[in-house]
Amino acid sequence: MAETPHDDGRRAPLPPVLAPGHTYGSVTATISDVVLARALDWRWAVGMGIASSLLMLFGGAVANLLFRGTGIWGINTPVMWGWAIINFVWWVGIGHAGTLISAILLLLKQQWRTSINRFAEAMTLFAVACAGMFPLLHMGRPWKFWWMMPYPNTMALLPQWRSPLVWDVFAVSTYATVSALFWYVGLIPDLATLRDRAKNKYIAMAYGSLALGWRGSARHWSRYKSAYMLLAAMSTPLVVSVHTVVSFDFAVSVIPGWHATIFPPYFVAGAIFSGFAMVVTLMVPLRSWFGLKDFITDRHLDNMAKIILATGMIVGYGYAMEFFIAWYSGNPYEEFLLLNARPFGTYSNAYRMMVFCNVIIPQLLWIPAIRRNPIVLWVISIFVNIGMWLERYVIVITSLSEDFLPSSWAPYSPTIWDVATFLGTLGLFTFLLFAFIRVLPSIAIAEMRELVHEKHHEAHAAHAGHGVDAAEAREENR
Amino acid sequence: MSGPHAHGQEAPEVYGLMAEFDDPDRLVEVTRGAYERGFRQMEAYTPFPVEGLDHALGYFRNKVPRTTFLGAVAGGLSGFLLQCWSAIYYYPHDIAGKPLYSWPAFIPITFETTVLGGAFAAVFGMLYFNGLPKLYHPVFNAPSFALASDDRFFLCIQSRDPLFDPEETLAFLETCGPRSVSVVPY
């Protein structure tokens, strides 16, 4: 990719995708022991405690919302979307990195995706679960959510198919379903491994039932591979469509700052940007807590940092294009909003922080040493997470708060319940992730064995004919 | 597959002979050799998909792709027709004289239902053709078969193969350099 500089002269050779010396058995044991053999880790317990507390806060916030209605949030005319929609878009975006890693990088035969795809897919599922909370709660009467679905009813009503909001219902629910299927299919062989390794009879029965009786037959694997590759091939356009449709929620309207053709690509790039940042945020502590540094190496961090840098630049281009089109269109409302209200108006602090977090801070990733320093990279990923939340804040709030007629403007500020609901979904997300780490293998074991096999063949081929340089060259090209 | 007691007097005592290997490439060679000797009712078990193993067993007719295609077409058609039916016939809405058959607006949902139909067909088709879920299977009786999900590679020649002979087949498998060969009871 042109954005990333080549390490001229290969001063520091790239770290390997898999630490040397691993066999099928060692890979299996290391990963499955995290679930089956490892004792309770105090850091895990503390994290789970915090997550559970926040989850209870979420329960309280939702209960209050159900009793008293959406008025407990800061939303009011003209800003009726508020934090609920900001959080929805933020969470959905985070999910996208998981699908990118599991599907797109699979089709591109990127070996380094193997050790992070399971975890990233789990992150996708949990992020989409959190995202789904917000439109549901924002409806005001969540108990009537099925009205959005087409079904025969006594009111003789069906959804308005020409509305992007209805497209969104289909896009997000399809995305959640297909991501869950993809994740589960990937898990089946690993559940069989856990079944076969579990010492406790009941644990073995539980994993055995979930593994559906998988026995690793060659014919089964053949069909399995087809299904897996086809799911990847279908998830690839699906993930692009989801954030495109989310951007249609904005772009199809005529609100200044929203009615822009750049929205779909700019939203998709932003989604991948924020998603990879979240993967880094979660991976850096995970790999050190659970002794997985052999599988999630500095090479993974380096590659993810490069993707963050590249997609961050696309996001920066999106910001620049918004400026340009606002000026070039000559539309006074667009000009006012983009060239005046956002950078200099009521919410200019959020806007400037957004540019700082999303455009300026990621530029540090040009430096190879920073890309491979887990702590610095982790801090940068936090900046990106915050920056991408602010981006959605800027888009939702500024455009609604100050649209056409100054007489209909009104400022927006969140209430404590907005904050509680958002923190609550952070708790839900962390709770699910922490539970997942202890209950299911967070690295795809079968795929790691396949990687060991491939590495073995590469080494063999290099030894036989092409010499060591060929293997190194291939290694570098990954 | 008929059960052990399905035929009464002809019920075979054993399911087959299971040879255990350390190396996937060796397993592919042995499987190819067994196929060339004429064995057809056999199956290999591996902890990860081994390239070429399905072809070595003589298996080429994978129906998952076409099932997925049919599922995707069915999903797309039903999504599109549902929208047409409801927007044109069941619940027509005249908004400023705009056409009822506004097909471009129906495309996003058609796309989503296409993917949904394809994904369901791929996953459930794969499970259906694999005969899963099936929690019990005779091969689980083979000793050390638990390692088929870890680091061992197995070839099972089944007793229903016409060429199967308890002694000769055992002798053949012993010549292939396995770690062990064992009898798989029902």
Side-chain angles (χ1 to χ4, degrees):
Chain A
M1 212 162 272
E3 286 90 344
T4 49
H6 255 281
D7 313 350
D8 41 327
R10 296 262 173 253
R11 266 165 291 140
L14 286 171
V17 225
L18 175 68
H22 271 291
T23 63
Y24 308 126
S26 73
V27 162
T28 308
T30 314
I31 302 170
S32 59
D33 281 356
V34 172
V35 178
L36 293 173
R38 223 178 156 84
L40 200 63
D41 184 293
W42 67 268
R43 289 163 298 198
W44 182 88
V46 169
M48 195 59 164
I50 297 170
S52 309
S53 312
L54 288 174
L55 185 58
M56 283 196 280
L57 177 68
F58 184 61
V62 171
N64 191 23
L65 181 94
L66 296 182
F67 278 114
R68 293 170 56 202
T70 47
I72 63 167
W73 289 343
I75 51 173
N76 209 337
T77 317
V79 185
M80 294 308 280
W81 276 11
W83 274 38
I85 303 306
I86 299 167
N87 296 337
F88 162 68
V89 180
W90 188 73
W91 276 121
V92 172
I94 283 172
H96 282 38
T99 316
L100 187 104
I101 290 169
S102 58
I104 300 180
L105 296 184
L106 176 74
L107 297 179
L108 296 175
K109 295 193 191 296
Q110 294 291 307
Q111 280 184 338
W112 63 276
R113 76 172 264 292
T114 306
S115 60
I116 53 173
N117 82 69
R118 167 72 44 73
F119 186 81
E121 278 170 41
M123 184 195 79
T124 294
L125 278 180
F126 304 151
V128 172
C130 292
M133 293 292 164
F134 286 103
L136 279 178
L137 297 174
H138 188 252
M139 279 191 299
R141 287 188 291 170
W143 51 91
K144 296 206 187 291
F145 72 93
W146 69 83
W147 286 14
M148 297 184 298
M149 284 292 160
Y151 70 105
N153 57 63
T154 51
M155 300 172 290
L157 282 173
L158 278 158
Q160 168 54 281
W161 305 108
R162 302 172 187 98
S163 161
L165 298 176
V166 171
W167 303 347
D168 216 17
V169 172
F170 279 81
V172 175
S173 56
T174 301
Y175 183 51
T177 312
V178 173
S179 300
L181 286 173
F182 197 26
W183 187 63
Y184 183 65
V185 167
L187 268 169
I188 291 174
D190 292 355
L191 290 166
T193 298
L194 293 179
R195 169 197 68 199
D196 294 340
R197 289 178 67 87
K199 301 273 186 291
N200 179 307
K201 184 183 160 199
Y202 296 101
I203 293 177
M205 279 166 71
Y207 285 125
S209 313
L210 289 172
L212 308 177
W214 182 260
R215 49 188 189 272
S217 138
R219 289 175 173 87
H220 289 188
W221 274 123
S222 173
R223 299 186 191 104
Y224 176 93
K225 280 288 262 189
S226 295
Y228 200 66
M229 294 304 275
L230 285 164
L231 281 176
M234 289 186 288
S235 300
T236 300
L238 178 65
V239 68
V240 174
S241 86
V242 172
H243 230 62
T244 299
V245 168
V246 169
S247 82
F248 284 166
D249 292 344
F250 297 87
V252 171
S253 75
V254 291
I255 306 291
W258 289 4
H259 192 57
T261 49
I262 196 152
F263 259 42
Y266 153 54
F267 264 51
V268 172
I272 293 164
F273 181 53
S274 68
F276 267 90
M278 187 56 99
V279 176
V280 170
T281 307
L282 300 169
M283 276 299 168
V284 168
L286 175 83
R287 67 173 203 154
S288 98
W289 292 358
F290 291 98
L292 300 174
K293 280 190 184 171
D294 280 3
F295 305 146
I296 304 164
T297 66
D298 290 351
R299 171 69 155 280
H300 294 91
L301 299 183
D302 187 73
N303 282 358
M304 287 194 279
K306 283 176 182 167
I307 291 183
I308 291 175
L309 177 60
T311 46
M313 304 272 283
I314 301 176
V315 169
Y317 173 80
Y319 298 158
M321 252 320 121
E322 282 187 320
F323 274 126
F324 173 74
I325 294 294
W327 166 77
Y328 187 69
S329 70
N331 180 322
Y333 304 106
E334 287 279 333
E335 271 184 30
F336 166 75
L337 191 89
L338 269 308
L339 305 180
N340 190 343
R342 278 190 191 168
F344 305 110
T346 322
Y347 309 98
S348 58
N349 284 343
Y351 185 83
R352 290 171 193 176
M353 265 301 280
M354 170 194 93
V355 172
F356 178 71
C357 293
N358 288 350
V359 183
I360 296 172
I361 286 278
Q363 300 307 319
L364 289 171
L365 298 172
W366 287 103
I367 304 162
I370 287 186
R371 292 201 300 268
R372 289 171 208 169
N373 182 325
I375 296 169
V376 179
L377 189 58
W378 190 81
V379 173
I380 292 175
S381 78
I382 298 288
F383 270 105
V384 174
N385 286 325
I386 296 172
M388 284 309 292
W389 191 89
L390 287 170
E391 180 193 301
R392 279 64 177 253
Y393 179 88
V394 165
I395 291 172
V396 170
I397 305 298
T398 56
S399 287
L400 287 176
S401 171
E402 300 168 353
D403 58 355
F404 297 100
L405 288 175
S407 61
S408 57
W409 291 1
Y412 170 83
S413 62
T415 66
I416 191 155
W417 293 105
D418 284 295
V419 183
T421 318
F422 177 57
L423 288 178
T425 51
L426 283 175
L428 174 65
F429 180 72
T430 322
F431 175 87
L432 291 169
L433 269 184
F434 273 58
F436 157 73
I437 289 169
R438 290 297 305 201
V439 175
L440 294 169
S442 45
I443 296 181
I445 311 175
E447 291 183 41
M448 287 302 283
R449 293 188 204 109
E450 216 177 343
L451 182 65
V452 170
H453 186 56
E454 282 169 24
K455 289 280 163 205
H456 179 76
H457 269 249
E458 277 170 21
H460 197 71
H463 204 71
H466 316 290
V468 183
D469 288 344
E472 256 173 25
R474 197 177 304 127
E475 174 69 17
E476 300 295 334
N477 287 334
R478 295 283 173 201
Chain B
M1 222 181 294
S2 56
H5 308 296
H7 304 298
Q9 78 281 12
E10 288 252 20
E13 296 295 313
V14 296
Y15 175 76
L17 285 169
M18 180 80 85
E20 179 185 352
F21 298 88
D22 279 328
D23 179 46
D25 301 322
R26 179 88 196 114
L27 176 67
V28 176
E29 279 169 38
V30 170
T31 307
R32 209 170 276 140
Y35 190 85
E36 277 161 15
R37 272 178 84 103
F39 288 113
R40 292 295 178 272
Q41 302 299 328
M42 57 180 179
E43 184 56 273
Y45 302 90
T46 57
F48 58 87
V50 175
E51 187 138 12
L53 190 56
D54 48 347
H55 295 175
L57 287 161
Y59 174 73
F60 293 95
R61 297 161 60 84
N62 183 340
K63 290 183 192 147
V64 171
R66 74 191 86 157
T67 310
T68 307
F69 177 74
L70 290 178
V73 170
L77 276 180
S78 45
F80 189 74
L81 294 177
L82 170 71
Q83 294 176 80
C84 290
W85 168 78
S86 108
I88 298 164
Y89 165 75
Y90 185 67
Y91 198 75
H93 234 14
D94 189 341
I95 301 165
K98 286 173 185 156
L100 293 175
Y101 177 57
S102 55
W103 67 267
F106 302 159
I107 295 302
I109 291 179
T110 305
F111 172 77
E112 304 298 339
T113 55
T114 305
V115 171
L116 192 64
F120 273 121
V123 174
F124 292 104
M126 181 270 285
L127 291 176
Y128 172 77
F129 292 123
N130 282 353
L132 298 176
K134 182 183 173 69
L135 297 187
Y136 173 75
H137 193 276
V139 293
F140 287 122
N141 295 332
S144 74
F145 190 74
L147 295 175
S149 67
D150 190 344
D151 60 350
R152 295 290 157 72
F153 303 83
F154 295 84
L155 178 67
C156 183
I157 299 184
Q158 295 160 13
S159 60
R160 63 194 172 118
D161 192 287
L163 292 182
F164 183 86
D165 178 273
E167 271 90 56
E168 275 176 36
T169 307
L170 177 69
F172 162 68
L173 284 173
E174 294 282 9
T175 61
C176 299
R179 226 183 134 88
S180 70
V181 182
S182 48
V183 175
V184 183
Y186 265 106

